[in-house]
Amino acid sequence: MNFTEIAKIRQSCRKYDPTRPVEEEKLAAVLEATRLAPSACNGQPYHLTVCKGEAAQAVSGCVMGMGMNKFAADAPVLIVLSEEPYVKTAALGAKVKGNDYRSMDIGIAAAYLTAEAATQGLGTCILGWFDDEKIRSICALERPVRLVITLGYAAQGDPLRPKKRKAQEELVTFKDKI
């Protein structure tokens, strides 16, 4: 499967099969792909906390405020991405250039994680709606949570939905002269 094929099959899963656990070798492959993701100065300013069982249920309760993300209760694995400090060179670059490299790096890691999950036949959903304080308490984290990713097998009959994306002409400009 090439990358474009992966991009076409990867979607936000909102209906998991709670009876089907994620095999350890598939979880390991997802985590290894995430470990290999590029980051500013190779600093990897994030930490992944893999929650299964009771911990997954507790964290899922932290992403369902105001009726959001109810499907998370059925995901057998929730991966919490929290931030870590920059390495010195990335910290200097972020300050000098005014760029938030840590957020970029976390986004890239999430993209690698979800792409590899798709190749493993697993569904994912990247969640930005959560109770940071409660998750930090459950996972014993000192630093802010930035994303929570649900991981598991899609429920049978959960169809591949058509992609709704802007046309390439709206997203891309070609320039060969200034």
Side-chain angles (χ1 to χ4, degrees):
M1 191 176 325
N2 69 39
F3 188 79
T4 301
E5 291 168 330
I6 295 166
K8 287 179 179 177
I9 65 164
R10 193 267 152 203
Q11 65 182 6
S12 294
C13 181
R14 292 189 177 87
K15 190 174 183 185
Y16 289 94
D17 180 347
T19 67
R20 195 166 173 200
V22 174
E23 298 89 343
E24 289 302 317
E25 62 272 9
K26 290 187 176 190
L27 179 57
V30 167
L31 296 173
E32 179 62 6
T34 308
R35 186 185 73 81
L36 295 172
S39 61
C41 304
N42 294 317
Q44 298 176 293
Y46 46 81
H47 181 81
L48 283 72
T49 304
V50 179
C51 300
K52 300 192 290 186
E54 190 179 290
Q57 284 303 300
V59 170
S60 72
C62 300
V63 301
M64 296 191 285
M66 296 179 64
M68 301 290 284
N69 306 317
K70 291 179 183 179
F71 59 87
D74 289 333
V77 179
L78 279 82
I79 300 174
V80 176
L81 278 88
S82 54
E83 73 176 39
E84 288 289 320
Y86 283 121
V87 294
K88 289 180 183 177
T89 51
L92 177 62
K95 185 172 185 166
V96 169
K97 291 298 183 181
N99 280 327
D100 181 5
Y101 296 120
R102 185 174 14 239
S103 291
M104 292 178 211
D105 293 343
I106 290 169
I108 294 166
Y112 271 56
L113 187 157
T114 58
E116 180 58 32
T119 70
Q120 296 293 328
L122 299 167
T124 55
C125 191
I126 302 168
L127 307 176
W129 181 276
F130 51 80
D131 186 322
D132 173 68
E133 225 174 89
K134 286 182 182 177
I135 294 175
R136 286 168 74 176
S137 175
I138 291 164
C139 296
L141 298 170
E142 293 181 17
R143 295 186 179 84
V145 173
R146 293 301 178 213
L147 294 174
V148 176
I149 301 177
T150 55
L151 177 72
Y153 285 96
Q156 194 159 18
D158 187 32
L160 183 62
R161 298 178 301 275
K163 299 279 185 200
K164 295 178 183 176
R165 303 291 190 269
K166 291 180 180 179
Q168 193 176 81
E169 296 77 19
E170 293 180 70
L171 295 172
V172 178
T173 300
F174 291 92
K175 293 192 69 78
D176 59 359
K177 296 180 183 178
I178 53 173

